[in-house]
Amino acid sequence: MRPENLSIRFEPSEQGLKGILDVVERLGSMTNVYMTMENGSKIVATLPGDVIVKDSESITLIPDQNALHIFDADTDLSLLYTE
């Protein structure tokens, strides 16, 4: 999943990637957020520049389903696209 294929959800939801923001990096037209998920994994998302979030805030990120790439760990073959 690429950072630009994640979006933020402000309303409560059971779906998505939940976590706490470690760092918010404002870059003008975009904002990079660095988050620790509930399971301890780290993730980076690139959000619009006008999004209002702050360090230590709890957020939920939603992956773009059309941009997912899932591979078999043993064969490295795509599980979504077969020829």
Side-chain angles (χ1 to χ4, degrees):
M1 179 61 51
R2 293 188 174 108
E4 62 271 16
N5 296 130
L6 294 163
S7 60
I8 190 167
R9 174 171 280 164
F10 290 101
E11 60 275 347
S13 173
E14 292 300 316
Q15 297 180 351
L17 308 170
K18 297 171 181 42
I20 305 290
L21 290 179
D22 299 313
V23 176
V24 176
E25 181 180 32
R26 300 191 188 287
L27 302 171
S29 65
M30 64 183 166
T31 298
N32 288 334
V33 294
Y34 301 81
M35 180 177 89
T36 301
M37 296 190 328
E38 291 177 337
N39 67 3
S41 296
K42 304 283 186 173
I43 193 166
V44 179
T46 299
L47 304 174
D50 61 353
V51 71
I52 299 173
V53 291
K54 59 184 186 265
D55 293 355
S56 302
E57 185 174 358
S58 294
I59 66 166
T60 300
L61 295 172
I62 305 298
D64 177 350
Q65 298 290 327
N66 295 318
L68 287 177
H69 301 280
I70 302 172
F71 297 92
D72 183 290
D74 294 325
T75 66
D76 293 330
L77 295 175
S78 174
L79 296 176
L80 300 178
Y81 303 102
T82 58
E83 294 185 45

